[in-house]
Amino acid sequence: MAFAQNLVRCSIKAAVSKNHFSLAKTASNFGAYQLSTQFNSLQPLRTFSIGSQLHQDVNVTFLRANGQKIQAKGKVGDTLLDVVVNNHIDLDGFGACEGTLTCSTCHLIFKVQDFEKLPDKASDEELDMLDLAYELTDTSRLGCQITLTKDMDGLVVSVPATINDARSA
Amino acid sequence: MFLPKKVLLSTITKQCCLHTNKKEFSAGVAVNSPTKRICIVGAGPAGFYAAQYILKTLSDCVVDVIEKLPVPFGLVRFGVAPDHPEVKNVINTFNKTAEHKNFNFFGNVTLGKDISLQELRERYHAVLLTYGADQDRELNIPNENQPNVLSARKFVAWYNGLPGEQHLNPNLSGRSVAILGQGNVAVDAARMLLSSVDALRKTDTTEYALEALSRSKVEQVYLVGRRGPLQAAFTIKELREMLKLPNVQTIWKPDDFTDVPAHLPNLPRPRKRLTELMLKSLSEQSSSSSSNRAQRRFLPIFLRAPKAIGENEIKLTVTQLQNDTAIPTDKIDHLPAELILRSIGYKSTCVDGGICFDDRGGRVFNENGRVLKDATSKSVDKGLYVAGWLGTGPTGVILTTMNGAFGVAKTLCDDIISNEVDTSSTKAGSEAKQYGRVVTWSHWQRINQAEIKAGERLGKPREKIVDVDEMLKVAGL
């Protein structure tokens, strides 16, 4: 499982160049099932992680519209989309374009104080995609554009209801 | 909640499937378990997203997708612009759905021809129609059927290699093209006409389209809308892309914007940002028009309604806005245009007499995705569903279709779980052999690999096969 996660994370890093043939994986409902059944025995291969200073854990909580809280761990340098993918968080359709700024399916809503502390403001291109999102708020961002820093440990973000609402509750 | 016995049974069934060649034999095998069999008609984004949801939600179900073409993905393959490859990343998710052991693809199978809706309904507990919108709305103006008037839908299908449109041969020998309509399809067509062909060579634009575009004499493209800038139908991403297109200058008509700035403060954010971008571009054009000698021009024209097609021109009625509606005046305007592309929307067709179809609206009568028995009684035809553009009409981006398809899939699953739709009887499903030359998922993989390989030689992601017989040959059928 851990090995698989690292693989996914590495491939996302490789795709940062917005390569069209990105190996990055979207959040998948099947991925979790397949990986947990196939890769459990590979647990000891955790040491395949690369780098060290970047790999500080950052805890993130995703709050769904139905009240469900999903706790996840990311690393400094991961995007919030990476966190959803690497933790196999079951959000249908999340990250459809795989972080290439051509959809708004990784729309997340921040608390005002967290939003104001985000290191980078949204680019025009990010705002363009957010403008197509459902439930757009003044503190909305795309998860693929938010890179975790160690200051973000304990972050809580809301997942808009219309994309991943109570339908699977 | 399910009884443990049932869970066990479903596990055994799944394991059985794993040990057979599932693409050939999984469906239709007589198993003494009430496997829930769902058929989806149309392998575009709505079909794939619905399949994803159903496979995740229903225990012990099989989802068979039948598709008219030998190849999957619908408008993701044949609609999304070749220079937007990132949008096609959704295919990675569709592939995962297709690899699910309880998913079967039956390509080259046409509803209404190879199998009737009635037969499908006998073979499945539920049928979901997602075959999209493959016709375009017409203007109903004089001379609309002249050869120099094409639908933007066909033009898009031509450069994207939709079987049947490869011989469209659009006339690109003139200087001016007028596109009637201002939605994202219209902007895609304009961008393809104005882009450097060398940039397009790196995309999966078909070779014959690249060849035609390389000989194009088109210098300017008009984008004509009945209403004003505040009602513009294109989205900001598409406009920003156009404004950044190398060697293309966007030129607005200043008169179209006279009243616009006053409305800015009251606009919702998306409309406001789009309008601000247009105003910014307008202000830059007045200061740089003499210095910027772009080779090609993009010319949005507002407040004009098509009146008649003339010889190498289009005649337009000047309109006025009243409560966001375009009202015709008695003033007439003309634009030069050797080629005219009609882009005022798509509509669906009724492919089987058993579908309760809204001919005027060009879609299937439904309530939240449940297909109605007839238009007036509002009673639901149990077990029959519709999603995507066939049910909603042709609007929105893939996100919209995704949400809609998830919603209808949830309704379908809810109806089955609550026994509103009966699944207690065994259903036969489909077998590849009943249809003739059926493209299964592994057959499609052969076509896919051949296309990628052909693309490699040309330095592009793929070279699409556009002939159905050729596709079947490559598939080994």
Side-chain angles (χ1 to χ4, degrees):
Chain A
M1 183 79 144
F3 175 54
Q5 283 177 10
N6 283 336
L7 266 185
V8 172
R9 189 178 302 126
C10 292
S11 62
I12 285 180
K13 292 285 178 278
V16 160
S17 61
K18 311 274 186 271
N19 189 317
H20 300 158
F21 311 106
S22 136
L23 295 166
K25 300 285 185 283
T26 44
S28 159
N29 37 309
F30 308 126
Y33 168 76
Q34 288 162 352
L35 291 171
S36 61
T37 52
Q38 291 169 19
F39 290 100
N40 266 346
S41 59
L42 297 178
Q43 194 74 19
L45 292 179
R46 183 181 286 277
T47 49
F48 266 68
S49 304
I50 45 163
S52 55
Q53 73 278 17
L54 282 178
H55 280 196
Q56 197 168 333
D57 279 346
V58 181
N59 293 289
V60 181
T61 302
F62 295 87
L63 186 59
R64 299 183 71 156
N66 61 12
Q68 186 193 357
K69 283 181 184 173
I70 304 163
Q71 315 237 332
K73 266 191 194 356
K75 302 279 183 195
V76 169
D78 285 352
T79 67
L80 284 174
L81 173 60
D82 295 343
V83 177
V84 170
V85 173
N86 294 346
N87 288 278
H88 311 298
I89 296 175
D90 183 13
L91 300 173
D92 286 315
F94 196 92
C97 82
E98 307 189 345
T100 56
L101 268 184
T102 50
C103 76
S104 52
T105 55
C106 65
H107 173 204
L108 295 169
I109 299 167
F110 290 73
K111 291 179 190 163
V112 179
Q113 62 269 32
D114 292 334
F115 182 83
E116 284 169 354
K117 275 192 283 185
L118 292 172
D120 299 310
K121 296 282 163 255
S123 65
D124 284 338
E125 286 74 15
E126 183 184 345
L127 291 170
D128 290 355
M129 295 323 302
L130 277 169
D131 280 353
L132 299 176
Y134 295 107
E135 290 194 16
L136 179 65
T137 71
D138 289 339
T139 59
S140 290
R141 291 293 300 265
L142 293 181
C144 68
Q145 300 300 304
I146 306 297
T147 304
L148 293 182
T149 62
K150 58 182 184 200
D151 298 342
M152 292 184 195
D153 192 36
L155 181 71
V156 180
V157 288
S158 299
V159 184
T162 34
I163 298 174
N164 295 289
D165 58 15
R167 67 167 71 88
S168 48
Chain B
M1 293 302 286
F2 296 100
L3 297 168
K5 196 173 159 190
K6 201 166 180 179
V7 172
L8 182 66
L9 195 56
S10 82
T11 309
I12 292 166
T13 313
K14 281 172 190 169
Q15 283 170 351
C16 290
C17 289
L18 281 174
H19 293 292
T20 58
N21 185 340
K22 65 163 182 128
K23 297 301 175 196
E24 306 291 344
F25 302 111
S26 74
V29 176
V31 181
N32 277 336
S33 78
T35 296
K36 302 169 195 79
R37 296 197 182 275
I38 319 293
C39 184
I40 296 178
V41 182
F48 266 100
Y49 279 123
Q52 176 184 332
Y53 189 95
I54 293 166
L55 286 166
K56 175 181 141 185
T57 307
L58 289 182
S59 63
D60 190 22
C61 73
V62 167
V63 175
D64 291 345
V65 174
I66 69 169
E67 163 61 48
K68 179 171 75 172
L69 290 166
V71 295
F73 309 138
L75 280 184
V76 177
R77 177 179 163 109
F78 295 113
V80 171
D83 59 342
H84 287 169
E86 309 86 4
V87 177
K88 302 188 194 198
N89 281 349
V90 294
I91 287 174
N92 295 333
T93 304
F94 299 163
N95 282 337
K96 274 186 220 156
T97 300
E99 285 155 16
H100 193 285
K101 61 188 183 305
N102 294 343
F103 175 99
N104 300 290
F105 177 70
F106 297 93
N108 199 31
V109 176
T110 305
L111 174 63
K113 207 175 103 196
D114 298 310
I115 192 162
S116 69
L117 182 62
Q118 194 191 337
E119 199 178 343
L120 275 186
R121 299 191 67 183
E122 284 161 9
R123 288 174 169 276
Y124 293 90
H125 295 106
V127 175
L128 169 59
L129 304 171
T130 60
Y131 64 77
D134 67 350
Q135 296 296 310
D136 52 295
R137 296 198 172 279
E138 295 181 350
L139 296 157
N140 298 318
I141 60 171
N143 301 327
E144 192 176 347
N145 295 321
Q146 277 185 190
N148 64 330
V149 183
L150 300 177
S151 76
R153 180 187 62 79
K154 284 192 176 209
F155 181 69
V156 169
W158 168 73
Y159 63 66
N160 273 331
L162 178 71
E165 301 298 356
Q166 61 268 45
H167 305 299
L168 186 70
N169 197 20
N171 173 19
L172 305 176
S173 65
R175 190 170 161 263
S176 306
V177 176
I179 302 178
L180 308 175
Q182 294 183 322
N184 284 341
V185 174
V187 179
D188 278 351
R191 201 177 61 254
M192 289 298 288
L193 287 164
L194 293 168
S195 289
S196 117
V197 75
D198 286 330
L200 296 177
R201 284 186 204 286
K202 301 183 187 87
T203 71
D204 67 1
T205 309
T206 48
E207 278 302 288
Y208 59 79
L210 288 172
E211 201 276 323
L213 289 166
S214 73
R215 289 184 287 107
S216 167
K217 298 278 185 280
V218 175
E219 287 174 15
Q220 53 183 21
V221 175
Y222 295 100
L223 201 77
V224 183
R226 298 159 63 95
R227 301 193 289 165
L230 290 169
Q231 292 80 29
F234 45 76
T235 58
I236 189 167
K237 174 187 182 285
E238 273 67 24
L239 175 60
R240 196 183 300 280
E241 200 175 3
M242 193 57 101
L243 296 177
K244 287 181 175 173
L245 208 59
N247 292 319
V248 177
Q249 190 186 7
T250 299
I251 303 173
W252 310 89
K253 275 169 58 196
D255 287 354
D256 288 347
F257 289 83
T258 316
D259 301 331
V260 169
H263 289 93
L264 263 187
N266 302 320
L267 298 174
R269 170 173 141 181
R271 179 59 67 183
K272 186 177 181 185
R273 290 186 68 248
L274 175 62
T275 310
E276 283 171 343
L277 185 60
M278 287 190 269
L279 288 168
K280 179 166 172 274
S281 171
L282 173 69
S283 71
E284 288 165 359
Q285 117 192 354
S286 46
S287 62
S288 69
S289 57
S290 55
S291 60
N292 187 346
R293 294 255 166 206
Q295 292 166 324
R296 290 173 168 176
R297 283 175 303 281
F298 175 57
L299 305 150
I301 305 284
F302 294 99
L303 300 167
R304 297 288 185 275
K307 186 176 170 66
I309 310 288
E311 196 173 335
N312 294 334
E313 69 163 24
I314 173 132
K315 199 187 264 187
L316 304 162
T317 301
V318 177
T319 65
Q320 265 179 352
L321 276 181
Q322 270 175 31
N323 300 328
D324 280 5
T325 307
I327 308 292
T329 67
D330 49 15
K331 281 189 228 154
I332 303 294
D333 195 2
H334 300 261
L335 290 177
E338 288 86 0
L339 174 65
I340 292 158
L341 296 178
R342 177 181 59 210
S343 185
I344 54 165
Y346 295 174
K347 60 182 180 184
S348 300
T349 44
C350 183
V351 301
D352 187 292
I355 301 170
C356 177
F357 195 81
D358 174 1
D359 281 317
R360 246 183 93 235
R363 58 198 179 111
V364 173
F365 280 114
N366 74 96
E367 224 168 57
N368 301 322
R370 292 186 182 103
V371 175
L372 301 178
K373 275 186 180 152
D374 59 79
T376 43
S377 77
K378 295 270 174 200
S379 71
V380 168
D381 194 348
K382 275 188 190 179
L384 187 62
Y385 301 84
V386 62
W389 283 4
L390 181 61
T392 62
T395 55
V397 293
I398 293 178
L399 168 73
T400 327
T401 293
M402 180 184 88
N403 275 308
F406 284 158
V408 175
K410 180 183 190 299
T411 302
L412 184 153
C413 294
D414 287 350
D415 286 352
I416 285 179
I417 292 165
S418 68
N419 289 322
E420 189 66 29
V421 168
D422 178 35
T423 55
S424 59
S425 57
T426 301
K427 293 283 187 178
S430 293
E431 280 180 276
K433 65 183 178 194
Q434 87 193 55
Y435 293 116
R437 298 171 88 186
V438 170
V439 178
T440 63
W441 198 254
S442 54
H443 288 127
W444 150 243
Q445 290 308 323
R446 290 185 207 167
I447 300 172
N448 188 34
Q449 289 308 319
E451 289 187 340
I452 292 171
K453 212 169 156 191
E456 271 169 17
R457 290 194 286 274
L458 298 159
K460 56 206 279 196
R462 75 173 61 235
E463 181 59 33
K464 288 177 191 165
I465 300 170
V466 292
D467 182 78
V468 167
D469 283 333
E470 176 74 11
M471 286 174 178
L472 296 175
K473 212 175 101 189
V474 170
L477 290 162

